[in-house]
Every structure is written in structure tokens, then in C-alpha cells.
Amino acid sequence: MNITTFYAVAMWTLRYWAWGAGYTIVKNRHIGLDIGTGRRAIDVPAIWGGKVVRVIRTQSMGFVIVLDTGLPGAQRYHSYCHMSGDRLPKINQTIRQGARVGRLAAGPDSLPFLNVDFPGSLWDGIHLHLVFSSHIAGAYTKGTGSDYANPEELIREVLAKLTNPKPGTAGGGSRPVPTPISPEEDDDMKLDDKLPGTNFTVAEAITLTFQQNTQGIPGRKTDGERVRAEKQILAEVAANGAALDAMARVIEKLSGGVASKAEILAAVKSETSAGVKAALKNITITLEAK
């Protein structure tokens, strides 16, 4: 599900700063925004890009994934709560706007604490509890009102930019917003599909980039042609965020998870065969390039 669908105002259930006698982080106040998904335990796209700085399993909210966005004040740390333990991101991994943060926990809250879908004791159905805070543990440790920001403001800003795009601005030109990608774009990508924004199929890009093998690819037979094609693909894919993300996800699946997406991204961004081979030296990927 992409940003505009997942974070649509119609999906908001419990609003930021709503009153409730049971809230304890800030007494009687709901410090986040709850977003419903129609009882579906789906993947959550990042509303803003950042670096993963904490992945923690809590009793009250299941897994909490925290991104450091670098935004000022109480918008800095974005905590995604009631998450499952399914394919959790790694510490220091960079997640771009629109990319998968993780999957929502399916529940129920009666599941054992160590179950991958344990949602936390404060769970009342499948939903995302999104918290913006000035400190890294703001979602699950006591704070004061000034430690928190209303997620609705940034969400509205991002949605405005995506529905009424103005190059380099965010809904009225207040600040730049990263170009988002949809986490669904490459979920079912096949080897014969073109990488987004390029003229290369997934098989061509992976074969030339990671195996330096042009067999079966028409018109690329000599070593010189192979080297030029390899460099061209490396440069083009490394410069295209959506293509890079798509190829990394395909390779991660082909390797059975042995090659992490982060390793693949770092290898391609190095734009050198040596960097690629170093990252994938213990991995065998079999392709039938067409």
C-alpha cells in the first residue's frame, strides 16, 4: 500500500492528544496517531525517510521500530508501534520515504510475548500507532507534552505534495520532500520486468552487475561491450532510487535472504564490481537471462 492510501485522512482512527484515563506516557493523553487498515496486517510505508536507530520488542506495543529522520525538534524520531517481528529492518539501515518499515502485528494480544505477531497489551485491533518525539524512546517511556509532535501535520504536508506535486517542495513550498517509492512496486517484480526508470530488465541488471556474465543477452558479447554495459547499468541503477530498491529486493528474494537488502544497496552504490563481489562473495544467485 502506498503513502497516499495508507495515510489517507479517512484511515485515521484515534487522533493525536485525545483524552483517555488510561494513558500514562503523558498523563491522560494519546501521544500518537492511530491509523487503521481495515483489520489487515499489512506492510507500513515510511511517511518520511530516515535511519533505523531502534528495533525493540515491548510488552505494551509489540515491536517498536524507530527512525531518526533528522527533522527538527519533536518531529525527529518516528516510532512505528504495534509492529510484527516479520522481516524487521536492521539498525543503521536507511529507509526511504514510501519504503517498507515493517508489517503490522496481526494479533490477538493473547498471543505469547515471543510470537512474531504479538501486538502488545495496549492493542485493540490491527492498526499503526505512530509517534513523533524529540527523544528516541518517546513512544514507550514517560515524557512531557513538549517532547511530542502531532503526526497529522507532517502527514498532511506529505499528502498535499503527493497529490498536488510541485517540484522540490512540500505542499506549498515549505521544505523539500524526498521522492517517495511505493513498497508494492517491486513486490511481484519478475526477472523479465523493466527496472523502474531504466531500459534494463531485472535479469540484465543483475547478471551484468553481479555476475559479469553476458551469455544469452543479445548484442553484448565482447569483453569491452560487457564492461561498458556493466558500468552503464551500475551508474544508472545507483542513480535511480526506485530501480535500486527494486533490484535489491529481487536479489534479496533470490538469495533466500542470505544477501540483505542493505548489503546489496551498499554494493551497488559503490559502483564497482569489487564492492559488489565483496558483498556477495558467499552467495550464489542463479539466473536465466533473456
Side-chain angles (χ1 to χ4, degrees):
M1 186 177 291
N2 60 31
I3 289 179
T4 54
T5 303
F6 186 93
Y7 291 99
V9 176
M11 305 292 280
W12 301 357
T13 53
L14 186 59
R15 306 292 284 271
Y16 174 77
W17 220 242
W19 187 91
Y23 299 130
T24 58
I25 301 292
V26 173
K27 188 176 180 180
N28 297 336
R29 292 296 177 180
H30 185 247
I31 61 169
L33 172 66
D34 285 359
I35 297 173
T37 62
R39 296 193 294 272
R40 294 173 297 164
I42 60 177
D43 287 350
V44 176
I47 187 63
W48 198 271
K51 180 181 289 187
V52 178
V53 291
R54 185 158 294 181
V55 178
I56 184 171
R57 190 197 298 261
T58 69
Q59 180 64 44
S60 60
M61 289 183 291
F63 272 103
V64 176
I65 301 170
V66 185
L67 302 188
D68 183 353
T69 67
L71 291 172
Q75 287 193 334
R76 177 174 178 178
Y77 294 105
H78 293 184
S79 296
Y80 296 79
C81 310
H82 298 307
M83 304 295 285
S84 75
D86 176 27
R87 292 190 295 142
L88 291 165
K90 297 181 180 180
I91 297 298
N92 293 323
Q93 178 180 336
T94 296
I95 296 179
R96 296 193 309 282
Q97 183 187 53
R100 180 185 188 272
V101 176
R103 177 176 64 77
L104 290 172
D109 53 5
S110 58
L111 287 172
F113 177 70
L114 295 180
N115 187 286
V116 68
D117 272 304
F118 174 71
S121 59
L122 298 181
W123 183 82
D124 59 357
I126 298 171
H127 71 282
L128 171 68
H129 177 62
L130 180 63
V131 178
F132 288 3
S133 178
S134 59
H135 59 102
I136 193 171
Y140 51 89
T141 58
K142 287 188 176 182
T144 63
S146 61
D147 294 329
Y148 300 94
N150 187 350
E152 297 175 16
E153 297 174 4
L154 183 66
I155 292 173
R156 289 184 188 277
E157 185 178 343
V158 171
L159 293 180
K161 187 265 180 180
L162 295 179
T163 54
N164 297 290
K166 295 181 180 180
T169 65
S174 56
R175 57 180 163 179
V177 171
T179 301
I181 63 167
S182 167
E184 291 187 331
E185 284 179 357
D186 53 278
D187 279 352
D188 298 315
M189 182 162 284
K190 304 297 188 297
L191 293 177
D192 289 335
D193 294 342
K194 289 283 185 69
L195 284 171
T198 78
N199 291 318
F200 308 121
T201 67
V202 175
E204 284 181 313
I206 295 175
T207 302
L208 288 172
T209 302
F210 293 92
Q211 301 199 110
Q212 300 187 36
N213 174 13
T214 59
Q215 185 176 6
I217 299 179
R220 294 177 184 162
K221 299 179 180 179
T222 69
D223 286 344
E225 287 174 330
R226 174 189 56 73
V227 171
R228 285 193 296 274
E230 180 183 78
K231 289 181 178 179
Q232 181 185 2
I233 290 176
L234 278 169
E236 186 166 337
V237 172
N240 185 305
L244 180 56
D245 189 78
M247 188 168 76
R249 286 174 67 101
V250 172
I251 295 171
E252 185 177 47
K253 290 177 183 178
L254 287 171
S255 71
V258 177
S260 75
K261 180 177 170 182
E263 289 176 321
I264 298 160
L265 295 179
V268 178
K269 286 178 180 178
S270 73
E271 296 191 30
T272 67
S273 297
V276 170
K277 288 181 176 179
L280 304 178
K281 60 184 177 182
N282 296 321
I283 298 158
T284 300
I285 298 173
T286 302
L287 294 174
E288 293 181 1
K290 295 183 179 179

